[in-house]
Amino acid sequence: MLLTELKPLEQILQYLDGERAVFLVGCKGCAEGCETGGEPQVMEMRQKLQEAGKIVTGYSLIDTVCNQSLTALKLKAHEAEITSSDSLLVMCCGVGVQTTSAVVDRVVHPACNTISLGGAHAEWKDGGHCLECGDCILDFTGGICPIARCAKHLLNGPCGGSQKGRCEISPELPCAWQLISDRLTKLGRLENLEKIVAPKNWSVSLISGPPAKR
Ligand code: SF4
Ligand code: SF4
């Protein structure tokens, strides 16, 4: 089980700044157990966002958002609501945010910080890309995690060693920052890369050393 905590509402509203409509995704797996993404929390979030002037086009509660096939299937049933939304707000672990991002062509915002593995890892076998850093930055990186997927955990990438979209540590590995760049281009948010990201607060992270899994 991945342990999560909700980000402050102020931070979530900053993510949604300039956006009119949002679709909510909750998780009936770990996030429900953590009381961060179950039905009561999704309903509460819907109310708070509406009070803040946002249109909540709909919501979906998925058994395990980290299961990419299941998430794709469930969100397909909400295609019209998602198409009419500027973005999705995903209330679960970093893996679930990334599976959602992988199956919809919309901006995906994380509502939670993943703070601990707390047990078996999530369902996304091919991905599995969260290192429980405690301060999720997927909003900035287009739903692709540089903490888990860049060999240097870079927050401002790429490093300069990337060649033809591959990581300098192995031609078999994609450069995470190339993936991020491609994704942000697709979302029309490439300007994100013009910002210099401040050093991360690693004291809330459980990880150290190079990533074992990419
Ligand atoms: S930024 Fe990456 S490692 Fe940190 S919580 Fe998000 S997905 Fe996990
Ligand atoms: S080549 Fe890309 S993935 Fe590899 S260390 Fe550099 S920025 Fe990170």
Side-chain angles (χ1 to χ4, degrees):
M1 175 162 144
L2 289 173
L3 304 183
T4 49
E5 61 184 15
L6 269 174
K7 288 176 175 284
L9 182 62
E10 297 71 34
Q11 186 175 12
I12 291 171
L13 289 175
Q14 276 177 12
Y15 291 161
L16 299 175
D17 190 31
E19 296 181 2
R20 189 182 62 90
V22 60
F23 183 88
L24 304 183
V25 177
C27 180
K28 293 164 79 176
C30 310
E32 182 176 82
C34 294
E35 299 185 350
T36 53
E39 188 163 13
Q41 295 79 42
V42 171
M43 294 301 98
E44 192 178 344
M45 182 63 75
R46 180 171 71 165
Q47 185 176 347
K48 286 179 177 170
L49 294 181
Q50 286 172 336
E51 286 169 2
K54 300 296 176 188
I55 296 170
V56 178
T57 56
Y59 68 90
S60 178
L61 290 158
I62 301 172
D63 281 347
T64 45
V65 183
C66 55
N67 182 327
Q68 185 174 347
S69 307
L70 178 64
T71 296
L73 190 68
K74 289 287 186 180
L75 294 184
K76 185 79 181 156
H78 294 277
E79 199 169 5
E81 294 141 277
I82 291 172
T83 302
S84 66
S85 304
D86 296 297
S87 66
L88 289 80
L89 180 68
V90 180
M91 301 174 67
C92 69
C93 70
V95 180
V97 176
Q98 291 179 78
T99 54
T100 304
S101 186
V103 300
V104 294
D105 281 334
R106 275 287 180 280
V107 172
V108 174
H109 304 293
C112 300
N113 290 321
T114 306
I115 55 175
S116 170
L117 192 60
H121 210 289
E123 292 282 333
W124 196 22
K125 303 294 185 221
D126 295 336
H129 303 311
C130 175
L131 289 183
E132 302 87 29
C133 78
D135 179 17
C136 193
I137 59 166
L138 288 173
D139 182 77
F140 162 72
T141 59
I144 294 168
C145 177
I147 311 297
R149 303 192 69 180
C150 168
K152 298 171 185 169
H153 308 314
L154 290 182
L155 300 181
N156 296 283
C159 67
S162 173
Q163 289 194 15
K164 297 182 180 172
R166 315 306 290 178
C167 176
E168 70 172 344
I169 71 163
S170 167
E172 292 178 9
L173 295 173
C175 168
W177 277 98
Q178 183 66 55
L179 297 177
I180 291 168
S181 172
D182 293 346
R183 177 70 179 161
L184 290 174
T185 300
K186 194 171 184 183
L187 294 172
R189 299 216 167 182
L190 195 57
E191 71 274 10
N192 281 11
L193 297 187
E194 292 171 7
K195 301 172 201 157
I196 304 295
V197 180
K200 190 169 166 53
N201 177 11
W202 291 104
S203 70
V204 295
S205 171
L206 296 180
I207 66 167
S208 63
K213 188 175 182 183
R214 288 159 57 87

